[in-house]
Each structure stands twice: as structure tokens, then as C-alpha cells.
């Protein structure tokens, strides 16, 4: 990265305000002090000032901490222009894979040094307990190290022998400038995964986090920028912009942006897909799920309760692979419901920055209101809400809730919060039908004592990944794909799959003496 352009550098800030890229963010009297929201365009930081029409909040208290702001349209235009110019020049693409890998390892080291700051900022902004954001922090530097490993192992180049002994060479080349759009529930780890693979592929990369949780991704971007600047790489290689759907639309609709990776809601995903279709550009979409947990008749009660409670409360229920439908045998429903609620009741609700907290507040009062409205709609349809965890009155807390007695037709859509429906079944065939009875297909879970029988049921479920007797936030295997079915998304994600997504193949070789009709 070149030395930041003074004309595009950071604007003056009030004395004592955290500067972009400071490490760590500081605690002040009265609570945690997040940094000012700033973007990084062509090597220069600048405070954002475009109002987005709502206030950011401290989820733990519900109190506003300042107006949400984003990058102005001119800054977004400058970012795309810088990325497109760099791609046209071929500066990064021409860096040999081994050297690119070394640079990504240098980025990983800088990101790993910043991980405590990023972890705290993620917890503060999203409400997710710091113990969980800390667990996810392995993805931050790890994403860059995995991308570097794939480059060293030659995953972007191969050769296939022809009948005449010559080789057909297959090289995977970058599409061009890439836009990486991430949501608010775990923004920095997702930004790291997308950006690491886009950079490894050779794409100049622009990251846009959710306007509701900008801080952790900004600290990640500062770490990436420090490492790239130390290597003398151009500022257009990695950039950060902020904003709402309008900023995202400017990126996605720009014909110079040639690949888009988006994680977020269904409505936004449809808009992104439509914009990408117009320019015939590849798009990677993960749009959420309404994930079932099928408890088989022979399942151990404690194992089923642990899985259900974990899936209901991990990331405070705000994750795309969370519990949507708890599907239990009719003759064991009360037993499993009670065991699950007992496990939820044992959790500790509190400040997300407290290492002892198991369950925190929802990200924003507006989101809490939407989740509560979805819960209330289920009870208005004849359901009964069951809660067990006492949560603080102050802040954006919502007690995890299981709702019984609602018709399956009323529970087909994702809530994206700590609320799930409970459905009973008389036969395993009906349990499978309930599990597959939504238009989503991201994740599914099966709990049973007989693993072979449980695996047989898992293979009948329409979902990108099905875990038997497991409920962690991690994938089954580091190198298995993370696909999506139905409304859950389009195009696979994964360690290898995301790297390939940012590339297209070029085949080169000598054909030799082949001629039509056998004539030389």
C-alpha cells in the first residue's frame, strides 16, 4: 500500500477520540468507548459523516451511543475506481502465488495481534458474549493463513495431459474487483473469510460491514491495511466502506465490481442477485435458514436438551444456523421441552463484555422489537410461549423462547432470534416431512442414540449440512463445503469453495496437428 494521500486522510477528531486503527479500543468511565466510524479508501482513512437515519446503541443498556453514519457516495465511487485501476494494471494479480501467500501470512500475524480488540468490539456492538466472539476469533487470522496455504499448494493452477503428450494448463484467474458484504451478527470473522479468499484469488477487495455493527470489521481492516502498507502495496488493493443498503447497492450495481459475496437477509439477497444478474457477474449468497432439530425416539434426553438449548441461544439466537423448529416425538414432548428449558435457565444473562456471560442482548432495540413481534404472532395463532431464563430489564434482552401448539404452516420462515417453534410427530416419516417443510435448507440437526439410524434420517433432510448429535457453530470439517438449498442461498461457501468463487478458469495449451475430417 502506498503512503496515505493527505487529501484523503482521516478528518480531525475530537481530542481523545479513538482513531481508525487504534489498538486497543479503550474503556472509559460509564462503559466501553468504540472508535469513530471511518472508512478506508485508496490508502486513506476518513471519518464517515453521511447520516443513516437511526442511532447505534449499546445493546447491553439499550442507550444510544451516536448516530449511525456511512461513507458518502463519492467515497464509494473513489473506492471502486481505485480497485478497478489496480485490477487493470495487474499489479496484485502478477505477484507470484508464493509471494502472495507470504503477504497473506503477514496479514494474518497483524490480524492475530489485533484479535483481542476485534473480539471486544464485536461483543460490544452485537451483544454476543465475548466468550463466543473470542471463540470465533480463530477465524480472523486463520482465514488468511488457510488462503495462503491453498496458494502454496497450487490450488489455482493445474495441468491435464492430452493424448499427444502435451498439457492443457488450467489457471484460475481473478474476476476483478470484489465486493464483500457482511451482516451484523459476526461481521469481522465473515469479513476475514471473504476478504482473505478474494485477496488470495488476486481480486482488489472492498469490504462493507453492516451499519449496525461497524467497529470490529473496521479494526480488522486497520490490521489488514497495516500489513499491506508495510509491504508497500497500493491502497486500492484492500478498502473498507460503511453504510446501509444504499452503499451496498452502489457497490453491487457498479459494472466495474466483478464478483460479489453477500451474507444477509433474504430480501437484500434477492436485490443483490438481481443486480448481479444484470451485469452477468458471479454472486455468492448466504441468506439464512429455518433450521430443524429432529429428536429421534431413542435420543438421550440430556443430549437433546443440550443441542436444543445451544442452538436456541448461541450468538443470542442471532445466527443463520440457529434453531428454527424443534421436532420431537409426541410421547416425549413434555420431557424434552422441560429438560431444554432447565438447561436454558442455568445460563447466565448479562453484559456481553463480561467473560462469565453465557447469553447477551440482541443487537438493537429495533431488532428486538421485530423478534418479539414474531414471537407474539405465534402466540396469537394459538401458540404457548415457554421461557425459563430471567434477563435484565435494562437493554435489548429477550428471554429465549420455545413456542408450542402452533401449526407448522405458521412457522416456515426464519425469525433470526432466540425464538423457535416446537412440533411433535408420531412417526419418523412425519418428522422428516416437518424438517423439510420450509423453503430454506441451510443447516439441520438430528439427535439419536443409534448413530446409524440417525445418519439415515440425516440423509433424508434437505440442507447444506446435517449434524448428528452436534450443535456447535463450527462446520463438520474444515474442508467440506458450506452449501445452501432453497431460499438459504446460492453458490457454495467453504475453505476451498470461496477461493474458487473469486476466480474463473482459463485453459491454455498447444493443440498440435489435429485437423477436421482427418486431413492435415
Amino acid at each position: 500500500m502506498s503512503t496515505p494521500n493527505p487529501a484523503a486522510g482521516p478528518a480531525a477528531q475530537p481530542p481523545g477520540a479513538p482513531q481508525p486503527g487504534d489498538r486497543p479500543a479503550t474503556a472509559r468511565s460509564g462503559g466501553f468507548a468504540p472508535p469513530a466510524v471511518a472508512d478506508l479508501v485508496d490508502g486513506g482513512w476518513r471519518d464517515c459523516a453521511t447520516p443513516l437515519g437511526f442511532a447505534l446503541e449499546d445493546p447491553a443498556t439499550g442507550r444510544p451511543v451516536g448516530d449511525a453514519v456511512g461513507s458518502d457516495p463519492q467515497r464509494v465511487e473513489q473506492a471502486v475506481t481505485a480497485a478497478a485501476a489496480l485490477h487493470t494494471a495487474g499489479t496484485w494479480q502478477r505477484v507470484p502465488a508464493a509471494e502472495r501467500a507470504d503477504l497473506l501470512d503477514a496479514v494474518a500475524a497483524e490480524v492475530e495481534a489485533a484479535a483481542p480488540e476485534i473480539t471486544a468490539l464485536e461483543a460490544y456492538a452485537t451483544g454476543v458474549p465475548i466468550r463466543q466472539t473470542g471463540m470465533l476469533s480463530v477465524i480472523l487470522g486463520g482465514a488468511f493463513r488457510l488462503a495462503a496455504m491453498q496458494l502454496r499448494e497450487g490450488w489455482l493452477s493445474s495441468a491435464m495431459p492430452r493424448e499427444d503428450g502435451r498439457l492443457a494448463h488450467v489457471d484460475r484467474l481473478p474476476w476483478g474487483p470484489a465486493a464483500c458484504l457482511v451482516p451484523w451478527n459476526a461481521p469481522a470473522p465473515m469479513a476475514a473469510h471473504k476478504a482473505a479468499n478474494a485477496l488470495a484469488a488476486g481480486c482488489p477487495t472492498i469490504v462493507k460491514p453492516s451499519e449496525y455493527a461497524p467497529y470490529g470489521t473496521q479494526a480488522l481492516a486497520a490490521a489488514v491495511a497495516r500489513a499491506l502498507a508495510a509491504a508497500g502495496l497500493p491502497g486500492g488493493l484492500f478498502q473498507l466502506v460503511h453504510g446501509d443498503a444504499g452503499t451496498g447497492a452502489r457497490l453491487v450495481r457498479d459494472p466495474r465490481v466483478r464478483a460479489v459475496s453477500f451474507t444477509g437477509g433474504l430480501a437484500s439477497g434477492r436485490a443483490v442477485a438481481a443486480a448481479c444478474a444484470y451485469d452477468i457477474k458471479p454472486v455468492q449468497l448466504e441468506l439464512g435458514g429455518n433450521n430443524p432439530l429432529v429428536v429421534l425416539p431413542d435420543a438421550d434426553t440430556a443430549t437433546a436438551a443440550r443441542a436444543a438449548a445451544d442452538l436456541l441461544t448461541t450468538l443470542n439466537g442471532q445466527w443463520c444456523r440457529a434453531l428454527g423448529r424443534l421436532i420431537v416425538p409426541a410421547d416425549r414432548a413434555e420431557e424434552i421441552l422441560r429438560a431444554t428449558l432447565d438447561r436454558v435457565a442455568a445460563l447466565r444473562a448479562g453484559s456481553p463484555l463480561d467473560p462469565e456471560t453465557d447469553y447477551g442482548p440482541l443487537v438493537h432495540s429495533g431488532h428486538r422489537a421485530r423478534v418479539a413481534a414474531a414471537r407474539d404472532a405465534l402466540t396469537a395463532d394459538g401458540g404457548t410461549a415457554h421461557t425459563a431464563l430471567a434477563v435484565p430489564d435494562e437493554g435489548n434482552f429477550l428471554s429465549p423462547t420455545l413456542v408450542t401448539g402452533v401449526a407448522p404452516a405458521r412457522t416456515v420462515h426464519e425469525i433470526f432470534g432466540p425464538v423457535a417453534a416446537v412440533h411433535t410427530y408420531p412417526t419418523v416419516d412425519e418428522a422428516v416431512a416437518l424438517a423439510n417443510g420450509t423453503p430454506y435448507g441451510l443447516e439441520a440437526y438430528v439427535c439419536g442414540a443409534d448413530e446409524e439410524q440417525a445418519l439415515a434420517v440425516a440423509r433424508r433432510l434437505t440442507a447444506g449440512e446435517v449434524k448428528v448429535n452436534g450443535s456447535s457453530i463450527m462446520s463438520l470439517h474444515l474442508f467440506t463445503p458450506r452449501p445452501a438449498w432453497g431460499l438459504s442461498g446460492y453458490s457454495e461457501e467453504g475453505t476451498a469453495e470461496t477461493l474458487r468463487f473469486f476466480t474463473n478458469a482459463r485453459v491454455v495449451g498447444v493443440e498440435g496437428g489435429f485437423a477436421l475430417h482427418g486431413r492435415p
Side-chain angles (χ1 to χ4, degrees):
M1 180 181 291
S2 59
T3 302
N5 180 352
Q13 296 189 30
Q19 301 293 314
D22 272 0
R23 190 171 65 227
T26 58
R28 295 178 182 167
S29 60
F32 191 82
V37 176
D39 57 25
L40 172 65
V41 173
D42 200 13
W45 287 99
R46 178 177 292 175
D47 284 355
C48 295
T50 300
L52 301 179
F54 70 97
L56 291 175
E57 296 175 353
D58 176 349
T61 66
R63 291 193 288 269
V65 296
D67 292 335
V69 291
S71 303
D72 65 55
Q74 183 181 9
R75 290 283 280 177
V76 178
E77 166 66 22
Q78 290 171 352
V80 177
T81 298
L86 180 61
H87 179 67
T88 299
T91 306
W92 178 240
Q93 182 179 340
R94 287 196 300 269
V95 175
E99 293 181 25
R100 208 184 297 169
D102 290 342
L103 288 165
L104 291 175
D105 274 339
V107 170
E110 191 70 39
V111 168
E112 286 159 356
E117 174 200 12
I118 298 170
T119 295
L121 288 168
E122 294 277 279
Y124 170 81
T126 66
V128 173
I130 195 166
R131 198 162 63 219
Q132 294 179 31
T133 63
M135 178 182 68
L136 291 174
S137 69
V138 68
I139 299 171
L140 299 172
F144 292 93
R145 295 201 184 277
L146 281 171
M149 179 206 73
Q150 293 177 92
L151 289 179
R152 291 193 181 96
E153 292 184 353
W155 287 27
L156 296 184
S157 296
S158 61
M160 303 183 70
R162 287 165 35 90
E163 293 82 353
D164 61 6
R166 292 188 170 96
L167 295 176
H169 298 272
V170 183
D171 294 309
R172 302 201 66 89
L173 305 176
W175 283 107
C180 300
L181 313 179
V182 298
W184 48 257
N185 57 334
M190 281 187 269
H193 169 70
K194 294 178 191 292
N197 285 283
L199 290 170
C203 297
T205 302
I206 304 172
V207 171
K208 189 200 87 66
S210 166
E211 63 272 31
Y212 285 93
Y215 311 121
T217 307
Q218 183 170 306
L220 170 73
V224 175
R226 286 192 293 269
L228 297 179
L233 290 163
L237 178 56
F238 177 83
Q239 301 175 92
L240 172 78
V241 296
H242 291 283
D244 54 14
T247 300
R250 290 185 186 94
L251 288 173
V252 172
R253 292 174 183 166
D254 195 304
R256 296 169 295 177
V257 171
R258 294 309 309 158
V260 177
S261 181
F262 172 85
T263 301
L266 177 59
S268 297
R270 283 174 163 153
V272 168
C276 290
Y278 183 83
D279 283 326
I280 318 297
K281 68 180 72 172
V283 61
Q284 187 181 54
L285 302 171
E286 190 199 292
L287 307 179
N290 190 14
N291 310 293
L293 167 59
V294 177
V295 180
L296 295 178
D298 70 341
D300 174 70
T301 299
T303 301
R306 174 189 56 77
D310 287 353
L311 294 170
L312 184 66
T313 60
T314 298
L315 273 64
N316 307 334
Q318 303 169 125
W319 58 305
C320 54
R321 299 169 193 271
L323 181 65
R325 287 178 159 190
L326 176 57
I327 301 169
V328 297
D331 60 355
R332 297 187 61 192
E334 184 175 348
E335 164 201 349
I336 293 169
L337 176 64
R338 177 47 49 200
T340 302
L341 292 172
D342 286 347
R343 189 171 180 93
V344 170
L347 299 177
R348 177 174 175 176
S351 166
L353 292 172
D354 184 344
E356 298 302 315
T357 293
D358 300 306
Y359 178 81
L362 304 195
V363 66
H364 193 273
S365 59
H367 183 62
R368 185 196 181 282
R370 286 189 289 273
V371 174
R375 176 201 61 193
D376 296 344
L378 294 180
T379 58
D381 282 337
T384 301
H386 304 267
T387 61
L389 179 63
V391 297
D393 293 330
E394 182 184 48
N396 301 330
F397 288 88
L398 186 73
S399 186
T401 306
L402 292 171
V403 183
T404 58
V406 182
R410 305 296 295 174
T411 68
V412 298
H413 291 293
E414 180 183 49
I415 292 177
F416 209 75
V419 176
V422 181
H423 296 301
T424 62
Y425 67 87
T427 68
V428 171
D429 285 346
E430 186 168 340
V432 170
L434 285 166
N436 290 335
T438 81
Y440 299 89
L442 187 63
E443 194 93 350
Y445 309 88
V446 177
C447 184
D450 184 330
E451 285 190 2
E452 289 304 315
Q453 181 186 27
L455 285 167
V457 172
R459 293 186 178 99
R460 298 173 63 186
L461 304 187
T462 305
E465 182 177 68
V466 185
K467 290 180 177 175
V468 171
N469 294 331
S471 55
S472 84
I473 199 169
M474 299 303 184
S475 297
L476 281 168
H477 192 282
L478 185 60
F479 289 102
T480 52
R482 294 193 290 276
W485 293 75
L487 297 184
S488 287
Y490 177 78
S491 182
E492 293 176 333
E493 284 198 79
T495 299
E497 290 75 13
T498 299
L499 176 60
R500 283 199 296 266
F501 165 76
F502 288 109
T503 68
N504 196 18
R506 181 188 64 196
V507 182
V508 174
V510 176
E511 190 169 54
F514 176 80
L516 290 175
H517 311 301
R519 295 193 294 271

